[in-house]
Amino acid sequence: MQEVNQELAIKHGLTAEEYNKIIKLMGRNPNLVELGIFSAMWNEHCSYKSSRIWLQTLPTKNKYVIQGPGENAGVVDFGDGDVVIFKIESHNHPSYIEPYQGAATGVGGILRDIFTMGARPVANLNSIRFGSPNHEKTKYLLNGVVSGIGGYGNCIGVPTVGGETEFDECYNGNILVNAMNIGVTKKNKVFYSIASGVGNPVVYVGSKTGRDGIHGATMASAEFDEDSESKKPTVQVGDPFTEKLLLEACLELMQKKSIVSIQDMGAAGLTSSSIEMASKGNLGIKINLNLIPCRENNMTPYEIMLSESQERMLIVLKKGKEKEARKIFEKWGLDFAIIGQLTNSKKLELDFNKKNVCSIPIHSLGDNAPKYKRDFITYSYPKIINHDSTIEKLDIKDSLIKILSHHNYSNKSWVWEQYDHMVMTDTIQKPGGDSAVVRYHGKNKGIAATVDCVPRYCKAHPKSGAMQAVCETWRNLISVGAQPIAITNCLNFGNPEKKEIMGQFVESINGMKEACEALDYPVISGNVSLLA
């Protein structure tokens, strides 16, 4: 096994100080598998190490909220024993490197976040932003992303009902691809990821594990450079038809009262899913990596644990329910493997070829992950410029034509017409309006949803821009007669180690907090994407 040292840790995205902290927590040097696991769990994408302290200031509760941040998605009461489950996440870096698969797997990932909680997905939304229309890569990226969103959503049979598409030269070096999903279920049928029961079997279901997506979570937290094209192997490859089978199999098993906890293998794959479940339950987990279904030969423990192959779930079953569960997944043509069990060790323990290849205290990966309060600058309001004399010279007709012909205000039907927005036949308000509206199937009530932001406002004055974004979503919802209940957020910013970037993030959080508190409009889920 490759020798582990500080230089190798830095190549894994860890700092020298973080590497030394790992040694202190473990009481020894980590091996390569353990270093890879720490690098995945301690990067910005998984640990929120630069954003956690600020996210905790946001309001997360009101009379409708059943589950706020901390789970796969947020849950709100929808009356009559029904709940709505929703979340938004980014897939920016993968979509820039490989636009079709990056966008497609972004949709697939957010779908799994919803149905892993027991909900049937009923609507997709998205927010996508590209560089200048004249930039050499914009057409390629736009076509790939739109095709990826449509390809995955259309094939799995979930309507894409709303979103936004904009262009600005600031996105020439990287694009934004934010995917949202909404699902519905009964209040008493929501599933959570908290593991319990020492000795309960840990089960792997879904697709086989391959080498695609290795270091995907770490890459998502890295700044781009001239070598970005070489990172294509870190982009996952999606299969919406397999995801459809996984969706139906999971929902069928959920009717059997067999599941203790369930978690999507998303960012960092088997690593994050196993650690998150065990950590929330204050337990340990032991896995035999030889039992993992692999589609490629001679995969190493390092590769297996860090793969982000798509359409996979990790489930803790009640003892004695293994045979019943296996029958369901095999009926749907999916892999089913009992790979380990819960323990009272409070460690992540991995065996491979009858040898222990990893033994890490669970809480060192979560609770003891770095948490930074980084330096930041504050932003004053922009100077007021008197344009009266200029405005007097403007011709209203010419000005209106210029505004309406701008690429950000032109008709975007050429985008959303590539998405199937009528599948499931419950779409009431189609894309192109202020908010999408879908009927709660079989009932006389509907769900309104919108995605909106004006980034140039946030750039001019982050706090005011964030407040405006929150308020605009509120106005969009009430414009279709809906009662706004809660929001999910997707916060896309640059390198937090730069004071001006960290200042943008902090002040945006403060603006969001103020607006959400004033409107009783809590943030119940979301995502932070830093280092663009």
Side-chain angles (χ1 to χ4, degrees), residues 209-227:
T209 294
R211 291 188 171 93
D212 54 316
I214 294 174
H215 282 306
T218 303
M219 177 271 293
S221 300
E223 287 190 290
F224 276 178
D225 52 32
E226 63 274 7
D227 297 322

Side-chain angles (χ1 to χ4, degrees), residues 72-84:
N72 287 289
V75 184
V76 292
D77 194 328
F78 201 54
D80 309 315
D82 302 320
V83 297
V84 176

Side-chain angles (χ1 to χ4, degrees), residues 33 37 287 289 305 348-352 355-359:
V33 176
I37 289 170
I287 296 174
L289 296 180
M305 289 304 294
L348 172 66
E349 298 174 284
L350 305 176
D351 291 342
F352 186 71
K355 293 181 180 179
N356 179 269
V357 294
C358 171
S359 181

